[in-house]
Amino acid sequence: MPPIAYLECSRCQARISSQSPQTVCSQCTDQPAGSLYVRYDLSHLEGTSPKDVIGEVLARGGSNWTGMWRYRAVLPDVRPVTLGEGWTPMLHSKRHPAVFVKEEGANPTGTFKARGLALAVTMARHYGLQRLAIPSAGNAAGALAAYAAAAGIEAHIFMPRDVPIANYLEAVAYGAKVTLVNGLISDCARIVAERKQEEHWFDVSTLKEPFRIEGKKTMGYELVEQLGWEYPDAVFYPTGGGVGLIGMWKAFEELEELGWVKPGKRPRMIAVQSSGCAPVVRAFEAGANACQMWQNASTFAAGLRVPKPYGDSMMLDILRTSKGIALSVSDEEILASILDWARNEGILLSPEGASVTAAYDKLLASRDLTPSERVVLFNTGAGLKYADVIAEAMHLQRPVLELQSAD
Ligand SMILES: [Zn+2]
């Protein structure tokens, strides 16, 4: 297990100590301040075989070191708060021989958010933090509530009032202090920013806390390991806040530094958004380095309702460096893809996950991609967490039963 060497600013490259809890870079002269990357001295692992390193973790580890903690050799050296997150299935499509679905719905709380928040709460407990606050489009709230409960830490949650009912239910059930806001995640973020000092909250907002990226980077390690320590040709990622995209790219850098994969053949990173809220797509197409706030964001893919992601510049840089692309699909296309994959593959995708399956179909049709290119499509959450919003999109109502009398 590596001790953390320092935290590094993604904008000004300042090095900051991890001895006390940090949010964003305190040295940046330009605003917004850069997000911080966790850096380790990994030199003792160079030239090792990943199978040996992970095998040793699993052999020695006991129940705490399963799931994403199989990568503890490249994670902070602290005792984890774990609910069994990570090491999710890589499902092979029945219709597309070169397509794999990374099924993040298998995580605790049913989404990929478990990875980042497991690590953020692990570090919060390590630092002795007592009160965490988060603005969320829904799924991060549920995950924070669960891990905070497991760690005995207070969670203060702010999310839009029209989040899927599962997100509200789980946050309340886990004992979090929940405020429903008449607005979007950007409005929730403003409330947390205004009140955090007075309330003594530590802000674990997307990319304003360094360890959520570290948790999400395990998706990059996992997909490479599950494909036999080789990169796919492309990774499709539904992009709201974009931490997973940034985390996976960091994983690829580390994997190459360690010699665990051959450098030079990284996948194209494909960011997918809903046409009802597509700030990254608009910035990508305009050649811009940052997003403009998207007005009147609206989509039933709740996790994609992020009108201006904090990590916009980092994502745009990764998309261009990887020769990737950003594209949007409509809510109608998302719903059609949910039903297509449910009926033909037996997988009930989340709306966010179905945005990438719809985008895959589009890129095949436009010949931006060939059917033989090996791709990983991220289903970031279980479709069942969206029971109410998918039912509404399908105009599905429970039939009224006609009761028959006994005689
Ligand atoms: Zn900085």
Side-chain angles (χ1 to χ4, degrees):
M1 293 174 293
I4 297 168
Y6 53 87
L7 306 175
E8 183 184 37
C9 176
S10 58
R11 286 192 66 171
C12 75
Q13 280 74 49
R15 293 182 176 193
I16 292 169
S17 165
S18 66
Q19 290 302 308
S20 59
Q22 301 294 327
T23 53
V24 291
C25 178
S26 53
Q27 311 291 313
C28 271
T29 46
D30 296 337
Q31 294 301 317
S35 303
L36 298 175
Y37 283 121
V38 181
R39 300 297 187 198
Y40 313 88
D41 179 1
L42 298 176
S43 55
H44 64 289
L45 290 175
E46 281 169 25
T48 56
S49 136
K51 287 175 193 162
D52 291 348
V53 172
I54 293 165
E56 193 181 320
V57 169
L58 295 177
R60 284 198 191 174
S63 60
N64 267 351
W65 301 109
T66 55
M68 74 177 196
W69 300 96
R70 70 198 280 108
Y71 304 111
R72 71 183 286 203
V74 291
L75 292 172
D77 179 13
V78 295
R79 184 167 60 94
V81 177
T82 177
L83 295 167
E85 54 289 335
W87 200 244
T88 55
M90 183 76 98
L91 303 174
H92 200 172
S93 166
K94 288 161 187 60
R95 295 173 293 174
H96 308 284
V99 170
F100 294 86
V101 173
K102 187 70 173 142
E103 178 49 289
E104 290 291 295
N107 278 301
T109 73
T111 78
F112 68 147
K113 295 286 183 183
R115 297 176 188 265
L117 287 154
L119 202 51
V121 172
T122 289
M123 293 307 294
R125 183 173 72 178
H126 171 74
Y127 287 127
L129 297 169
Q130 292 296 317
R131 295 174 168 186
L132 306 181
I134 199 168
S136 170
N139 286 323
L144 175 65
Y147 288 94
I153 293 175
E154 274 182 27
H156 297 263
I157 283 167
F158 294 80
M159 53 188 174
R161 61 185 300 175
D162 56 350
V163 288
I165 188 73
N167 295 137
Y168 178 62
L169 165 78
E170 64 187 338
V172 171
Y174 287 126
K177 312 260 187 303
V178 181
T179 305
L180 294 180
V181 174
N182 191 15
L184 293 169
I185 186 173
S186 43
D187 301 297
C188 300
R190 186 171 36 78
I191 296 171
V192 171
E194 284 167 2
R195 290 180 54 193
K196 64 184 177 188
Q197 198 147 19
E198 188 182 331
E199 304 276 359
H200 304 289
W201 294 336
F202 184 78
D203 185 356
V204 290
S205 294
T206 301
L207 296 168
K208 295 184 186 170
E209 185 280 344
F211 294 98
R212 286 179 64 184
I213 299 177
E214 282 305 281
K216 286 277 184 71
K217 89 176 179 186
T218 60
M219 297 192 301
Y221 278 86
E222 260 179 52
L223 75 87
V224 167
E225 181 174 359
Q226 289 174 326
L227 295 177
W229 298 103
E230 280 184 11
Y231 287 135
D233 295 307
V235 174
F236 282 64
Y237 191 73
T239 306
V243 184
L245 197 75
I246 295 164
M248 282 191 274
W249 199 251
K250 181 176 190 282
F252 300 155
E253 280 174 12
E254 290 177 4
L255 281 161
E256 292 175 16
E257 185 189 331
L258 294 169
W260 289 4
V261 291
K262 279 198 204 103
K265 288 183 67 184
R266 286 196 204 173
R268 296 169 71 193
M269 302 302 279
I270 316 270
V272 185
Q273 301 198 298
S274 161
S275 51
C277 182
V280 175
V281 177
R282 191 155 64 184
F284 182 82
E285 288 176 350
N289 294 322
C291 296
Q292 300 292 320
M293 177 73 78
W294 187 276
Q295 300 301 326
N296 304 314
S298 169
T299 168
F300 82 120
L304 301 181
R305 280 193 310 181
V306 181
K308 188 183 185 321
Y310 195 82
D312 51 359
S313 310
M314 299 162 87
M315 278 191 272
L316 288 160
D317 186 43
I318 291 166
L319 294 177
R320 291 184 179 123
T321 304
S322 76
K323 299 185 172 54
I325 192 171
L327 77 161
S328 62
V329 294
S330 69
D331 276 13
E332 290 73 26
E333 290 169 320
I334 292 174
L335 178 62
S337 206
I338 288 176
L339 299 177
D340 176 41
W341 278 73
R343 289 165 186 180
N344 294 304
E345 302 260 359
I347 302 172
L348 185 59
L349 299 165
S350 61
E352 295 84 353
S355 76
V356 304
T357 50
Y360 177 73
D361 292 343
K362 262 192 169 175
L363 291 185
L364 276 190
S366 65
R367 299 181 189 273
D368 284 294
L369 209 69
T370 66
S372 63
E373 285 181 278
R374 198 154 75 141
V375 303
V376 174
L377 312 180
F378 267 85
N379 181 37
T380 45
L384 278 179
K385 284 202 83 172
Y386 299 79
D388 53 338
V389 289
I390 295 176
E392 192 184 329
M394 290 173 69
H395 305 293
L396 181 69
Q397 289 184 333
R398 201 191 294 243
V400 177
L401 297 176
E402 289 181 26
L403 297 177
Q404 295 182 346
S405 62
D407 51 32

